[in-house]
Amino acid sequence: MTVEKCLILDNGSYSIKCGWKTDKSPELIQNWVMRPKDRRRQYVGREIENCKEMSNIHITSPFQKGYLINWTTQRTIWDQIFNSSKINTSDTHLIVTEPPLNFKSIQEAWDEALFEEYNFKSVFRSSPSSLTAFHYKQTHKDNLCCLVIDAGHAFSHVIPYVNGKPVEKGMKRISIGGKHLGNLLKEQISYRQLNLLEETYVCNLIKEDVCFVSTSFKEEMELARKRDPSVLCEYVLPDFVNTHRGYVKLPNVDDSDEQKKPAPTKEQIIKLSLERFAVPEVLFHPADIGLEEMGLTETIVHAIKQCPSVVQPHLYNNIVITGGTSKFQNFKERVLKGVRSSAPDLFSVNVYRPEDPVIESWKGGQMLSCYPGYSKLRVTKEEYDEHGQNICLERFTDSIV
């Protein structure tokens, strides 16, 4: 018996998580086209790993404000992935993700591209949060409700699910994601120390390496004022000759006079203290950068209150965190602390973060591909040719039951 070929493509605005249903884990591919300054060659998808000069690069993303707008760039990236992997799309079933609350016109463009240009055998289109909720439901059989926090690159979503269906009144979006935090860190470093305004890629790596979420902002600020070693750190920037990624410089533990003398070096070092936790704090207090929106924990409580009262205790008890931005140190603890302080005392609050929140939605798609009811959710090429866009609107309802 031949195994059905099914490709799971979690098409995020920062990275694509791509893999077959039989794979243990997906391959992470940057979802943008990159061109180094003063060079004509561009790097696409997997080719980005071969680029040695990552300084002052120009990045072209197919996404704008979290929505797939630049289809020329997206096709270039998909072509590189499919061709390099030698994927025959005509005999491949596809599970692909799209942003929650997507526009109908963009959804139509998705279906047209996947069926008419790439000729996939069948397609199932869903949001990453729905696949995450499906995975959580299958691995926690006793829990029929969950609230998914998808802290992504372009923005963050808070979506409650009941029996696999999203509660529309409770679907909330925060206009802050990893991209905004990286840009904020870039501005702060450029204003205070070294001009890195053209180094978006480098600043994003700095954010990933040193930033953390504060569980007590006032205490952390006091430590930063005293230049406490627990907050203050030195970061060595890459020179793209000897090092291709920056790193945190460890403090010198030897107190001898010999060790205290600065060694001759050509390292370019920046010092970071309050930036490390003040940047992620924007997720919880958007007003700090002038956005009149609720913070993440406030949004969670508000979303749950929009749901029927009978399911609210279950939603508080099943909060699931996904997305690359949720990988900050203390992120889970801060969410738990904030929600616990606002939730009714009688309700228990539990926050679950998977081992790797970046690929959690991909795992949900992988599990769905083996689900008995999967064949009824997808749309085949023959059905699309016969019924057109209408059948996609009918089946791709973002609820997996």
Side-chain angles (χ1 to χ4, degrees), residues 38-102:
D38 302 329
R39 293 190 185 182
R40 292 185 177 180
R41 181 186 173 181
Q42 67 178 17
Y43 295 83
V44 181
R46 294 188 179 97
E47 299 174 350
I48 293 176
E49 299 177 358
N50 302 324
C51 181
K52 303 301 181 183
E53 180 56 64
M54 303 294 284
S55 177
N56 202 5
I57 59 175
H58 177 72
I59 295 175
T60 303
S61 172
F63 284 79
Q64 291 183 19
K65 296 184 178 180
Y67 294 105
L68 182 48
I69 301 297
N70 190 338
W71 279 98
T72 301
T73 302
Q74 189 65 83
R75 288 188 184 94
T76 301
I77 298 170
W78 283 350
D79 289 344
Q80 197 278 334
I81 294 173
F82 298 154
N83 293 335
S84 61
S85 300
K86 298 180 180 179
I87 296 175
N88 183 6
T89 57
S90 60
D91 66 351
T92 300
H93 302 276
L94 179 69
I95 296 176
V96 65
T97 63
E98 62 172 347
L101 306 171
N102 203 1

Side-chain angles (χ1 to χ4, degrees), residues 321-350:
I321 298 175
T322 63
T325 304
S326 69
K327 295 182 73 174
F328 283 128
Q329 181 184 350
N330 298 332
F331 187 92
K332 173 184 173 182
E333 291 76 9
R334 177 63 180 274
V335 170
L336 178 60
K337 181 181 178 180
V339 175
R340 177 66 278 175
S341 64
S342 302
D345 295 337
L346 295 177
F347 296 166
S348 61
V349 178
N350 180 52

Side-chain angles (χ1 to χ4, degrees), residues 98-364:
E98 62 172 347
L101 306 171
N102 203 1
F103 293 104
K104 183 180 177 181
S105 58
I106 299 179
Q107 291 177 330
E108 292 176 353
W110 273 88
D111 299 331
E112 182 179 334
L114 296 173
F115 280 116
E116 299 182 18
E117 295 182 36
Y118 290 98
N119 296 305
F120 277 99
K121 191 172 183 179
S122 75
V123 172
F124 176 72
R125 173 169 47 78
S126 180
S127 67
S129 55
S130 290
L131 294 179
T132 297
F134 176 78
H135 185 264
Y136 185 79
K137 181 181 177 182
Q138 296 301 309
T139 53
H140 299 75
K141 295 289 187 179
D142 296 333
N143 301 317
L144 300 178
C145 305
C146 71
L147 181 113
V148 178
I149 304 170
D150 187 2
H153 181 63
F155 37 49
S156 302
H157 288 95
V158 177
I159 304 178
Y161 286 85
V162 178
N163 289 326
K165 297 181 179 181
V167 181
E168 291 188 7
K169 288 184 178 180
M171 298 175 69
K172 306 298 176 184
R173 172 180 294 164
I174 304 173
S175 303
I176 297 176
K179 180 179 180 180
H180 304 84
L181 302 183
N183 289 338
L184 180 60
L185 179 63
K186 177 175 64 177
E187 292 174 2
Q188 292 189 3
I189 294 174
S190 300
Y191 178 75
R192 294 169 180 166
Q193 297 187 61
L194 181 67
N195 187 359
L196 296 179
L197 291 176
E198 300 296 327
E199 304 293 349
T200 301
Y201 179 78
V202 173
C203 286
N204 192 66
L205 295 180
I206 297 174
K207 179 196 70 175
E208 294 175 359
D209 290 342
V210 305
C211 285
F212 65 92
V213 173
S214 172
T215 54
S216 180
F217 188 77
K218 290 183 179 180
E219 291 181 8
E220 299 288 355
M221 285 293 290
E222 183 63 21
L223 292 174
R225 187 184 67 82
K226 295 179 180 179
R227 303 180 68 83
D228 190 277
S230 64
V231 176
L232 180 65
C233 79
E234 293 184 340
Y235 192 86
V236 181
L237 296 173
D239 57 12
F240 299 105
V241 177
N242 300 312
T243 57
H244 295 277
R245 178 172 180 135
Y247 59 92
V248 177
K249 188 174 183 180
L250 297 176
N252 211 338
V253 297
D254 196 332
D255 291 332
S256 66
D257 292 338
E258 294 274 336
Q259 293 293 336
K260 285 182 179 180
K261 294 179 181 179
T265 178
K266 293 183 179 179
E267 293 177 341
Q268 197 166 24
I269 299 175
I270 57 175
K271 293 184 178 181
L272 300 165
S273 57
L274 62 88
E275 298 93 347
R276 297 180 62 195
F277 58 89
V279 168
E281 187 68 19
V282 173
L283 266 172
F284 301 90
H285 293 95
D288 291 349
I289 57 173
L291 287 179
E292 296 181 359
E293 295 185 16
M294 291 184 291
L296 181 59
T297 53
E298 293 174 298
T299 304
I300 294 170
V301 175
H302 180 65
I304 294 177
K305 287 181 178 179
Q306 302 301 307
C307 301
S309 58
V310 68
V311 301
Q312 290 183 15
H314 303 285
L315 293 173
Y316 277 114
N317 198 38
N318 295 277
I319 299 175
V320 186
I321 298 175
T322 63
T325 304
S326 69
K327 295 182 73 174
F328 283 128
Q329 181 184 350
N330 298 332
F331 187 92
K332 173 184 173 182
E333 291 76 9
R334 177 63 180 274
V335 170
L336 178 60
K337 181 181 178 180
V339 175
R340 177 66 278 175
S341 64
S342 302
D345 295 337
L346 295 177
F347 296 166
S348 61
V349 178
N350 180 52
V351 179
Y352 168 75
R353 184 173 68 178
E355 183 178 350
D356 189 351
V358 174
I359 65 172
E360 185 69 5
S361 56
W362 183 91
K363 286 184 176 180

